[in-house]
Amino acid sequence: MVKIFRLKSIISIKDFEREDVEYILDEAEKLENIAQSKEVSNELKGKILGLMFFEPSTRTRMSFETAMKRLGGDGIGFENSGSSSVSKGESIADTAKMFEGYCDALVIRHELEGVSKFISDIVDVPVINAGDGAGQHPTQTLLDLYTIRKEIGKIDDIKIALIGDLKYGRTVHSLSNALGLFNNIKIYLVSPPELRMPQEILIDLNKTNVEYVVADKIEDVIEDVDVLYVTRIQKERFVDVEDYIKIKGAYVINKKMLEGKDLIVMHPLPRIDEIDTDVDDTKYNKYFTQAANAVPVRMAILKTLIKNNPK
Amino acid sequence: MVKIFRLKSIISIKDFEREDVEYILDEAEKLENIAQSKEVSNELKGKILGLMFFEPSTRTRMSFETAMKRLGGDGIGFENSGSSSVSKGESIADTAKMFEGYCDALVIRHELEGVSKFISDIVDVPVINAGDGAGQHPTQTLLDLYTIRKEIGKIDDIKIALIGDLKYGRTVHSLSNALGLFNNIKIYLVSPPELRMPQEILIDLNKTNVEYVVADKIEDVIEDVDVLYVTRIQKERFVDVEDYIKIKGAYVINKKMLEGKDLIVMHPLPRIDEIDTDVDDTKYNKYFTQAANAVPVRMAILKTLIKNNPK
Amino acid sequence: MVKIFRLKSIISIKDFEREDVEYILDEAEKLENIAQSKEVSNELKGKILGLMFFEPSTRTRMSFETAMKRLGGDGIGFENSGSSSVSKGESIADTAKMFEGYCDALVIRHELEGVSKFISDIVDVPVINAGDGAGQHPTQTLLDLYTIRKEIGKIDDIKIALIGDLKYGRTVHSLSNALGLFNNIKIYLVSPPELRMPQEILIDLNKTNVEYVVADKIEDVIEDVDVLYVTRIQKERFVDVEDYIKIKGAYVINKKMLEGKDLIVMHPLPRIDEIDTDVDDTKYNKYFTQAANAVPVRMAILKTLIKNNPK
């Protein structure tokens, strides 16, 4: 039986079933040679991706562009902090309608939650949410899952520590939701008390088979995990900067802590100092691989959506 | 007999004969499938368009880029409010000479009238004027004519109302000149007294067979027209903002006004509030189609000029 | 015997032997038809160049993009005055590692000397230095040499005057070093006393067979040279603006000075007023040709490095 990917647009990881996730990961695997520049593809020749980055995000934008170009297609668009220069005051709906006239699919980054859903509802072409405010960033989650599967060999039966800013970190929210689709998962939620995982995500997790444990320190969990998923703690999150300085060191990973352990270290990047650079040259470092995995995973998404939804 | 397009560059719609206009529109029609991503083209493979946007214009820039990429070519260039970052003080002539060394054709947007003509005179490659100050924007006019012909079936024998800011609106000036090439045209010039069509355009029209009528209100003309061509009225045009507030409402189109009429509504976009969004889902709305028509029309222009003027 | 280009990265012209220079120039010559849009190439189809322009340089960036696109490849990247918007505080090393994950080669422009060397040491893909501070700009030098060879027929046995700001001018430093690889070269170093060629370059020249002569005025050398290589003198280099005004005129080339001479005029561009525009239409003008030569030379570099260093 031929599997079909059900979704027209990729707005939230919550819209995914396990088989939808696996469809994209399997497709990404098949595209590895093209992603790594070992094979040339004409898969999306003549196709154009519209990049609507109302908020700058060089990393995400460039990996989408690379994905499109490796498949023989191309991108157009804008990247700026406000919508002013784009639209001279026109509505987001009108801007999206214009892009629809030019492109085969749209990628949206916006500071407000819900914008990509809104646009997906008014255009016929597929829409991909590349991060909307404190909301979702589903393609990041797919590449995180791809990295786990590729490096550990499976997603079921793993123990993962989510570390750092669990309150505001968009990626750890989406990843927690996605892990709920898999079996026998244990999540350690390691953060300072000020930055605990939000209640609504815990409620989501309670509806799944995921076991989760709240922890204060990396030391408490490091012996038991397959994955350390590290995120940045931003100074700006603290009312009192003294509090930040006090807790900050407790959430830094270094080589010494990792020695003898059987685990991988991931990070959505950019990293500031929450992973010491002495980890870079160890076998634990999977964060640069993870970053490179953006290409095959976004290729899989673009290929699937554009092929399934011809103009 | 094989028709040949005469012009090396597209600077002003006033350089066009009727057959030049029709050449481009016919060519655009043939390129529709490629423009709509239903067919793949290698027509301009390896060719590069130079985008010299001294003034930002995301919409125009993106449709030219899309046109080039759909034909298998590509673009390079800049888009900024001043020329400073491009040229570190070099003359426009030198910048253009540099672009000529890299590209097969140039698209120029500049705040000063005459810049694209000046550049066309000093380089060998074709030059396309994408708007120079209060001057011309000929490719916009070609896509306007393409939209009229496609939606109404002809350009001859139509009645069109040009609405809004007729004094400063570059697109309505170029469109008026172009309509002078066709037969049995009636133009209603609907604007507040402060924003009437300039005398020199009326003098141009007097040399043609176009019949024109000056009007104050949409109501006075709506029963008699095939096309409502709406443009934005900018507050900044009024010395006294009270005058603006007073007249503004009289130039807004809404669904109720249109009911039962046999006409189409066009707008060069961006729209602010001069067309109510309740028109968007009606059969009258042709402004998004018009925006999308930028692609086949600009493809036709690029293909014609680059093929006719090989380096 | 098949010649192989030895270098993985192009960081400094000092890393080149004569045969390395000739390898690139010969390759560029073969690519002329593609560079001039007379032939279409798939040589680098599917390949992606990462453009890391920490400092803006529209001219250099666009010629690299053009080179890549003419060969069937493409580019991604950023161009801004600081690294802030790119990296949100991440290290240059991390940014480079990310680019490595997406791209087949990297081009770096940075205000600090040594950055491209540093990056080349930590990534596996080839790195091209597109200018680092007061340091090197080796691809400019290669296109300068290409222009001399193409216009004069050889690089050996020439007499060249380097004119203008020899103290801070990156291009004249690299070019001097490169000329040291050739035979029977005479260099006239023509500058105001404040802007003499730095001692370390003279020491480099002393180790070669190049004969050099320091001069104050163009008039003193113009009868004896094959090439006038003109650079801009920036007002900002002078403590006392009066000094600038006094000397400035002595370093301007015009048509009258050139009449009857057998020489070519080169300039890395942008030019401000150090070459009068009355030279533009003479046979002496090779500065626009030189600018256009950026394309075949950078094509040769990109093709060579990417083919020699597959991912």
Side-chain angles (χ1 to χ4, degrees):
Chain A
M1 206 184 78
V2 180
K3 281 191 289 182
I4 301 286
F5 187 74
R6 292 174 308 115
L7 305 167
K8 182 202 101 171
S9 290
I10 293 190
I11 304 302
S12 166
I13 204 71
K14 292 189 182 186
D15 301 329
F16 279 69
E17 300 293 343
R18 177 177 178 140
E19 64 179 11
D20 302 320
V21 171
E22 286 175 339
Y23 185 97
I24 296 297
L25 305 197
D26 291 350
E27 197 62 42
E29 212 170 274
K30 289 178 214 156
L31 296 168
E32 274 284 355
N33 273 348
I34 300 165
Q36 290 171 27
S37 193
K38 286 166 187 155
E39 255 176 60
V40 172
S41 168
N42 280 318
E43 198 73 64
L44 295 184
K45 190 163 153 54
K47 303 299 179 191
I48 295 173
L49 178 65
L51 299 140
M52 301 173 67
F53 280 70
F54 293 94
E55 222 181 34
S57 175
T58 310
R59 185 180 305 272
T60 303
R61 175 180 62 75
M62 289 199 317
S63 65
F64 270 109
E65 276 189 62
T66 301
M68 205 65 199
K69 287 167 197 264
R70 290 280 196 211
L71 287 167
D74 215 327
I76 61 160
F78 60 84
E79 181 180 11
N80 58 1
S81 50
S83 63
S84 58
S85 79
V86 186
S87 56
K88 301 178 188 165
E90 85 178 340
S91 69
I92 286 178
D94 279 17
T95 303
K97 287 278 189 185
M98 167 187 68
F99 268 86
E100 184 187 18
Y102 301 163
C103 301
D104 298 281
L106 306 180
V107 177
I108 323 271
R109 174 84 156 218
H110 199 282
E111 73 224 308
L112 291 181
E113 207 172 327
V115 166
S116 55
K117 172 77 170 72
F118 167 72
I119 291 177
S120 180
D121 288 346
I122 61 167
V123 299
D124 287 331
V125 295
V127 170
I128 299 164
N129 180 4
D132 54 348
Q136 286 266 332
H137 193 1
T139 64
Q140 174 70 44
T141 298
L142 291 166
L143 75 89
D144 291 344
L145 295 172
Y146 185 73
T147 304
I148 292 169
R149 195 175 82 167
K150 197 169 153 188
E151 298 300 331
I152 310 215
K154 59 180 181 174
I155 305 174
D156 293 319
D157 310 312
I158 63 158
K159 295 175 185 165
I160 180 169
L162 306 180
I163 299 168
D165 178 358
L166 305 186
K167 187 170 179 184
Y168 300 100
R170 190 160 54 187
T171 56
V172 288
H173 301 169
S174 292
L175 182 55
S176 297
N177 285 137
L179 289 169
L181 299 172
F182 292 86
N183 298 322
N184 193 28
I185 302 288
K186 185 168 186 178
I187 305 181
Y188 291 101
L189 301 166
V190 186
S191 75
E194 295 88 340
L195 297 174
R196 293 284 188 231
M197 186 63 87
Q199 202 58 33
E200 63 265 31
I201 303 288
L202 299 181
I203 290 168
D204 286 343
L205 286 178
N206 288 335
K207 293 175 197 154
T208 71
N209 293 319
V210 169
E211 182 190 347
Y212 63 84
V213 177
V214 174
D216 281 319
K217 291 185 189 156
I218 298 171
E219 289 70 29
D220 300 341
V221 311
I222 196 167
E223 297 293 341
D224 195 39
V225 297
D226 303 299
V227 181
L228 291 179
Y229 191 100
V230 186
T231 66
R232 187 171 18 138
I233 295 180
Q234 292 177 277
K235 210 193 321 197
E236 296 71 35
R237 302 302 189 194
F238 291 80
V239 180
D240 187 346
V241 84
E242 293 294 316
D243 291 345
Y244 168 72
I245 292 165
K246 233 182 298 169
I247 64 100
K248 187 189 155 186
Y251 301 93
V252 172
I253 308 289
N254 62 43
K255 188 177 174 179
K256 193 149 171 284
M257 293 164 62
L258 300 171
E259 272 166 7
K261 310 280 187 311
D262 184 22
L263 56 79
I264 63 172
V265 179
M266 293 174 65
H267 191 302
L269 303 186
R271 148 188 67 178
I272 308 303
D273 51 14
E274 55 278 6
I275 301 175
D276 196 290
T277 54
D278 71 3
V279 180
D280 292 7
D281 291 324
T282 70
K283 63 173 182 178
Y284 306 106
N285 167 7
K286 294 299 171 196
Y287 33 94
F288 292 138
T289 303
Q290 180 188 2
N293 286 338
V295 180
V297 172
R298 288 180 173 138
M299 283 168 70
I301 291 165
L302 290 167
K303 182 188 159 188
T304 301
L305 296 184
I306 292 175
K307 292 278 178 182
N308 284 359
N309 301 279
K311 287 189 90 168
Chain B
M1 207 184 77
V2 181
K3 281 191 288 183
I4 300 285
F5 187 74
R6 291 177 306 116
L7 305 167
K8 182 202 101 170
S9 291
I10 293 191
I11 304 301
S12 165
I13 203 71
K14 290 187 183 187
D15 301 329
F16 280 68
E17 300 293 341
R18 178 178 178 141
E19 63 180 11
D20 302 319
V21 171
E22 286 176 340
Y23 185 97
I24 296 296
L25 305 198
D26 292 349
E27 197 61 42
E29 212 171 274
K30 289 179 215 155
L31 296 169
E32 273 284 355
N33 273 348
I34 300 165
Q36 290 171 28
S37 192
K38 285 165 187 155
E39 257 176 57
V40 172
S41 168
N42 280 319
E43 198 73 65
L44 294 184
K45 189 162 153 57
K47 302 300 179 192
I48 295 174
L49 179 65
L51 299 139
M52 300 174 67
F53 280 69
F54 293 93
E55 221 181 35
S57 174
T58 310
R59 186 181 305 273
T60 303
R61 176 181 59 76
M62 289 199 317
S63 65
F64 270 110
E65 277 190 61
T66 301
M68 206 65 199
K69 288 166 196 263
R70 291 281 196 210
L71 288 168
D74 215 326
I76 60 160
F78 60 84
E79 180 181 11
N80 58 1
S81 50
S83 63
S84 59
S85 80
V86 186
S87 54
K88 300 177 188 166
E90 85 179 339
S91 70
I92 286 179
D94 279 17
T95 304
K97 287 278 188 187
M98 166 187 70
F99 267 86
E100 185 187 18
Y102 303 163
C103 300
D104 298 282
L106 307 180
V107 177
I108 323 270
R109 174 84 156 218
H110 200 282
E111 72 224 310
L112 291 182
E113 207 171 328
V115 167
S116 54
K117 172 78 169 71
F118 167 72
I119 291 177
S120 180
D121 288 345
I122 60 168
V123 299
D124 288 331
V125 294
V127 170
I128 299 163
N129 180 3
D132 55 348
Q136 285 266 334
H137 192 1
T139 65
Q140 175 71 42
T141 298
L142 290 166
L143 75 90
D144 291 344
L145 295 172
Y146 185 72
T147 305
I148 292 169
R149 193 175 85 166
K150 196 169 156 189
E151 298 300 330
I152 310 218
K154 58 179 181 176
I155 305 174
D156 293 320
D157 310 313
I158 63 158
K159 295 175 184 165
I160 181 169
L162 305 180
I163 298 167
D165 178 357
L166 306 187
K167 187 169 179 184
Y168 300 100
R170 190 161 54 188
T171 57
V172 287
H173 301 169
S174 292
L175 182 55
S176 297
N177 284 136
L179 289 169
L181 299 171
F182 293 85
N183 299 321
N184 194 28
I185 301 287
K186 185 168 186 180
I187 306 181
Y188 291 102
L189 301 166
V190 186
S191 75
E194 295 88 340
L195 298 174
R196 292 283 188 233
M197 186 64 86
Q199 202 58 33
E200 65 265 30
I201 304 288
L202 298 182
I203 290 168
D204 286 343
L205 286 178
N206 287 336
K207 294 174 197 154
T208 72
N209 293 318
V210 170
E211 182 190 348
Y212 63 83
V213 177
V214 175
D216 282 318
K217 291 184 189 157
I218 299 171
E219 288 71 27
D220 299 342
V221 311
I222 196 167
E223 296 293 341
D224 195 39
V225 296
D226 304 299
V227 181
L228 291 178
Y229 192 100
V230 186
T231 65
R232 189 171 15 137
I233 294 180
Q234 292 179 278
K235 212 193 317 198
E236 296 71 36
R237 302 302 188 192
F238 291 81
V239 181
D240 186 346
V241 84
E242 293 294 315
D243 291 344
Y244 168 72
I245 293 165
K246 234 182 295 169
I247 63 98
K248 186 191 154 182
Y251 301 92
V252 172
I253 308 289
N254 62 43
K255 186 178 177 178
K256 194 150 170 286
M257 292 164 63
L258 300 171
E259 271 165 8
K261 310 281 187 311
D262 184 22
L263 56 79
I264 62 172
V265 179
M266 293 174 66
H267 191 301
L269 303 184
R271 148 187 67 179
I272 308 302
D273 51 14
E274 56 279 6
I275 301 175
D276 195 291
T277 54
D278 71 3
V279 181
D280 292 6
D281 292 324
T282 70
K283 64 174 181 178
Y284 305 107
N285 167 7
K286 294 299 172 195
Y287 32 95
F288 292 137
T289 303
Q290 181 188 0
N293 286 339
V295 180
V297 172
R298 288 181 172 139
M299 283 167 71
I301 291 165
L302 291 167
K303 182 187 158 189
T304 301
L305 296 184
I306 292 173
K307 292 277 177 183
N308 284 359
N309 301 279
K311 287 189 91 169
Chain C
M1 206 185 76
V2 181
K3 281 191 289 183
I4 300 285
F5 187 75
R6 292 175 308 116
L7 305 167
K8 182 202 101 172
S9 291
I10 293 190
I11 304 302
S12 167
I13 204 72
K14 292 188 183 187
D15 301 330
F16 279 70
E17 300 293 344
R18 178 178 177 139
E19 63 179 12
D20 302 319
V21 171
E22 286 176 339
Y23 185 98
I24 296 297
L25 304 198
D26 291 349
E27 197 62 41
E29 212 170 274
K30 290 179 214 154
L31 296 168
E32 274 284 356
N33 273 347
I34 300 165
Q36 289 172 28
S37 191
K38 285 166 186 155
E39 255 177 59
V40 172
S41 168
N42 280 320
E43 198 73 64
L44 294 185
K45 190 164 152 55
K47 303 299 179 194
I48 295 173
L49 179 65
L51 298 140
M52 300 174 67
F53 279 69
F54 292 93
E55 222 182 33
S57 174
T58 310
R59 186 180 305 272
T60 304
R61 175 181 60 76
M62 289 199 317
S63 66
F64 271 110
E65 278 189 60
T66 301
M68 205 66 199
K69 287 168 198 263
R70 291 280 196 210
L71 287 168
D74 215 327
I76 60 160
F78 60 83
E79 180 181 12
N80 59 1
S81 49
S83 63
S84 60
S85 80
V86 186
S87 54
K88 299 177 188 166
E90 84 179 341
S91 69
I92 285 179
D94 279 17
T95 304
K97 288 278 189 187
M98 167 187 69
F99 267 86
E100 186 187 16
Y102 302 163
C103 300
D104 298 282
L106 306 181
V107 177
I108 323 270
R109 173 83 157 219
H110 199 283
E111 73 226 309
L112 292 180
E113 207 172 327
V115 166
S116 55
K117 172 77 170 70
F118 167 72
I119 291 177
S120 180
D121 288 345
I122 60 168
V123 299
D124 287 330
V125 294
V127 169
I128 299 164
N129 180 4
D132 53 349
Q136 286 266 332
H137 192 2
T139 65
Q140 174 71 43
T141 298
L142 290 166
L143 75 90
D144 290 344
L145 296 172
Y146 185 73
T147 304
I148 292 169
R149 194 176 83 166
K150 197 169 153 188
E151 298 300 330
I152 310 215
K154 58 180 179 175
I155 305 174
D156 293 321
D157 310 312
I158 64 158
K159 296 176 186 164
I160 180 170
L162 306 180
I163 298 167
D165 178 358
L166 306 186
K167 185 169 182 186
Y168 300 100
R170 190 161 53 188
T171 56
V172 287
H173 301 170
S174 293
L175 182 55
S176 297
N177 285 136
L179 289 169
L181 300 172
F182 293 86
N183 299 321
N184 194 27
I185 301 287
K186 184 167 186 178
I187 305 181
Y188 291 101
L189 301 166
V190 186
S191 74
E194 296 88 340
L195 297 174
R196 294 281 188 233
M197 186 64 86
Q199 202 57 35
E200 64 264 32
I201 304 288
L202 299 182
I203 291 168
D204 285 343
L205 286 178
N206 287 336
K207 295 175 196 153
T208 71
N209 293 318
V210 169
E211 181 191 348
Y212 64 83
V213 177
V214 174
D216 281 318
K217 290 184 189 156
I218 298 170
E219 288 69 29
D220 300 341
V221 311
I222 197 166
E223 296 293 341
D224 195 39
V225 297
D226 304 299
V227 182
L228 291 178
Y229 191 100
V230 188
T231 65
R232 188 170 17 138
I233 294 180
Q234 292 179 278
K235 210 191 321 196
E236 297 70 34
R237 302 302 188 194
F238 291 80
V239 180
D240 186 345
V241 84
E242 293 295 315
D243 291 345
Y244 168 72
I245 292 165
K246 235 181 296 169
I247 63 99
K248 187 190 154 185
Y251 302 92
V252 172
I253 307 290
N254 61 44
K255 187 177 174 179
K256 196 151 170 284
M257 293 163 62
L258 301 171
E259 270 164 9
K261 311 280 188 309
D262 184 23
L263 56 78
I264 62 172
V265 179
M266 293 175 65
H267 191 300
L269 303 185
R271 149 189 65 180
I272 309 303
D273 51 14
E274 55 278 7
I275 301 175
D276 196 291
T277 54
D278 70 4
V279 181
D280 292 7
D281 292 323
T282 70
K283 63 173 181 178
Y284 306 106
N285 167 8
K286 294 299 172 196
Y287 32 94
F288 292 137
T289 303
Q290 180 188 3
N293 286 339
V295 179
V297 172
R298 288 179 173 140
M299 284 167 70
I301 292 165
L302 290 166
K303 182 187 158 189
T304 302
L305 296 184
I306 293 174
K307 292 277 176 184
N308 284 359
N309 301 278
K311 288 190 88 169

